[in-house]
Amino acid sequence: MLKELSIFTQSLDADLKEIGIEPREGLHIVLPLEESPEGDIRIADHFEYDLYRKKRPKSNEELLKKCAAWARAAWMVDTNKCLDLPGKKIHSASPFCLAYKFGSLLTDLQLEVYFNKAGKFLQDEKISQQAQRFRRTLNSWEKIQQLLIQIPEVIPPEDADKELKTRALKEGEYIIFYLDIPLEVYQKPNATYLQDRLFNTNEYNTSVGEEIFGTSAFFNGFSSKKPFLLHQTAPFTVAGRISAGDALQLHEFGELVSRNIFPRPLPIFIYNDEIQKHSFRLFKEEALKDPTQRKTHSQIITALYKDHKDELGNYYLLYYQQGQIKDFDFVSRFEYHLHDLQGNAWTVTDWFGAGYAPVFDDVFKFQNSLLPVIFNNALVVRTKAKKGEEGAFQLRFFDEIDPQYCKTDNTHLLVMKYRQAFYDFIYKSKRQAVTQAMFQDILLTGILDDLRLDRYENRQHSEDATIRRKLNVLFSLHFHFQPYQINPVFMPNQLTELRPFMAQLASGETTIDTDEQFAFAAGQVIYYIQAKSKSEDRSYARLEPFLQQTDSKQFQQAVVKLFDRYKHETYSASFREPMANVISYAPKQSLKSLMPLMLAGFFSKNFLFGEKPTTGDETQQLPATNE
């Protein structure tokens, strides 16, 4: 991984590397040099300053732009590489810059230690003299306060107006002093500072020719001071080393991704020059735009696919978020389209009258159209759109997800359990990552939750459309997740066979011979009997207890008890044979495996509402349940 990221960073053009550099939030003070009447160089009495906050308009954009560039060439690697150790209060690392957080108290000794170490990075005599002038201005806490007292934003007077009090510096924001000299002068001591501190530790540095190799500090802690983290039996002390050049590139890469100018996830092309150049051009174009207007990963990949198609592959995929690498993997070949073995796009058929029948020609349509449905808008979140605009999507493949913002606790568990698999399926083309068992588990668990949550008000079921959409998805796409298995079950074929069978069973022309027929007929029978209820609670929650049954005999007894509750009602002639068959047939499969077909029977057109009514007394002359 490290070598590939180093090559990628080295390949980026200089202009792209400069995009997105922002000053740190806080007070930026620029101290200019001037020549005294005696001809000496000194710090001028007047100075420029500006306060920067992300949500505040820049009052002096040119000054802040210079400050951002200076700070980049004067900042510490991390707090373990500060020059004022063990204090860790001064976060700059340059003889031309002093940075600390408002609220921190610096001692004169800390300042002396800092400037002594920073001064060792200088080699040019003239530049050293300029650095000395800067040091003499700031080498005591008293001198620093004398400068700051001239800035009202640091300590506003008691009679300050509301605007000034709003601008006042807040604890934790930076106070940064800069010497006003060319950026190139900052960069030379910075290179010296980095050369000695880009490795995790210098204890294991070794030289090969003129190149230094050491232990990587890129997202890597060194465990030499923690014996419980060390290998106790390994014959080596260090697992691997990287060159100083690679360490510098990795440091720069970490800084680049922290600016959030790249798409997430980031495709890293290093083996195909043509695709690499195309991707860099897209990255640069989008980085220059407002963050809200930038193309997403899916839009960039779509643009690359249009021009390169079969060549789109052999790249690395990095997911970086909030200072952490969440995922890094190699994509050998990216499969953009979702087609079945006959070359047709994946299609959801409206088997259950939900008015939901999308076509997924590519993986990103699959992501944006399907995942909000099956995960109840918890994994891929469809945001509200302004009038005349399309809604955006928030992807939460690696986010912290609060259960209280999920539809149910089960939804949260399903997202956390399966989101990595769907990420691999969509972004890495690992088609084996999502299996039929996983897909069925997601949909059936979701449907059971929807049944429990359903409310019947104003002659409408609150979850009816949601349940029917999920059933459409289950029966239409189930087969696609394991197309190469032996003797696969093709669920749409089952539906097309079972619905005509149910019409024949209702007319007494046939009997139940298979477990699939039993499950479908059971769903029809339960729906028909429950339709006789005159109670206010007519929600689908009444179905859920039947679906939780694991023993077929107890299930059949529950059906009989349901019938006994409404035996005084009038039943159609089409009801007798299905009811008799359901309570007498002995299924061989578990009821859990038959649940999809039971749901299909319940939510399909019911064939038991015949024209010829029978009395309850006639209908209850049914065979005994299977003993």
Side-chain angles (χ1 to χ4, degrees), residues 86-275:
K88 300 183 180 181
K89 291 183 179 179
I90 301 176
H91 291 175
S92 55
S94 169
F96 312 120
C97 182
L98 177 67
Y100 65 95
K101 288 190 175 182
F102 182 58
S104 298
L105 176 63
L106 304 181
T107 66
D108 292 353
L109 179 58
Q110 279 179 303
L111 291 166
E112 183 180 358
V113 169
Y114 171 77
F115 281 116
N116 283 341
K117 290 183 178 180
K120 293 179 181 179
F121 304 144
L122 297 169
Q123 297 175 347
D124 185 280
E125 183 64 28
K126 181 180 178 182
I127 299 301
S128 296
Q129 291 178 3
Q130 295 175 348
Q132 281 297 323
R133 303 296 184 273
F134 182 75
R135 174 176 180 166
R136 288 173 189 170
T137 306
L138 301 169
N139 62 356
S140 75
W141 185 246
E142 184 181 351
K143 290 180 180 180
I144 292 173
Q145 295 308 304
Q146 287 175 354
L147 285 170
L148 293 178
I149 203 171
Q150 303 175 50
I151 303 173
E153 282 85 353
V154 178
I155 305 176
E158 292 183 6
D159 59 346
D161 58 28
K162 185 177 179 181
E163 183 183 351
L164 178 56
K165 288 182 178 179
T166 304
R167 293 203 315 270
L169 203 60
K170 299 175 183 177
E171 189 168 338
E173 293 181 325
Y174 277 103
I175 295 177
I176 310 177
F177 294 92
Y178 306 91
L179 183 61
D180 190 0
I181 55 177
L183 178 61
E184 296 75 18
V185 180
Y186 274 81
Q187 291 171 337
K188 290 180 180 179
N190 179 248
T192 305
Y193 164 79
L194 292 176
Q195 186 177 14
D196 194 43
R197 289 167 176 80
L198 286 177
F199 295 120
N200 215 312
T201 177
N202 293 336
E203 292 180 33
Y204 300 101
N205 287 6
T206 184
S207 298
V208 178
E210 297 182 358
E211 186 112 48
I212 298 174
F213 288 78
T215 55
S216 170
F218 184 71
F219 290 95
N220 179 42
F222 202 72
S223 54
S224 60
K225 296 181 181 179
K226 299 176 182 177
F228 58 89
L229 292 178
L230 292 172
H231 291 289
Q232 300 301 315
T233 58
F236 49 82
T237 306
V238 178
R241 294 181 175 89
I242 63 171
S243 68
D246 286 339
L248 181 60
Q249 295 298 333
L250 290 170
H251 173 70
E252 188 171 13
F253 177 80
E255 186 189 3
L256 283 168
V257 292
S258 67
R259 296 181 210 160
N260 293 321
I261 61 173
F262 292 126
R264 186 182 297 136
L266 171 64
I268 298 173
F269 299 93
I270 60 174
Y271 299 121
N272 187 311
D273 291 341
E274 186 178 348
I275 298 179

Side-chain angles (χ1 to χ4, degrees), residues 411-469:
T411 299
H412 179 255
L413 291 173
L414 289 171
V415 170
M416 302 306 290
K417 184 177 180 180
Y418 294 123
R419 63 179 180 174
Q420 180 70 53
F422 278 91
Y423 176 78
D424 292 347
F425 179 90
I426 294 165
Y427 290 92
K428 304 177 192 175
S429 297
K430 293 184 178 180
R431 294 293 181 257
Q432 73 281 7
V434 180
T435 64
Q436 284 185 350
M438 292 163 58
F439 194 66
Q440 185 165 308
D441 180 34
I442 293 166
L443 286 160
L444 291 182
T445 303
I447 290 171
L448 286 174
D449 279 347
D450 296 334
L451 290 171
R452 283 189 284 268
L453 293 173
D454 183 60
R455 296 292 179 269
Y456 187 76
E457 297 174 349
N458 300 321
R459 305 188 68 177
Q460 288 186 335
H461 290 273
S462 61
E463 301 296 326
D464 183 76
T466 303
I467 294 169
R468 292 180 185 275
R469 278 196 296 266

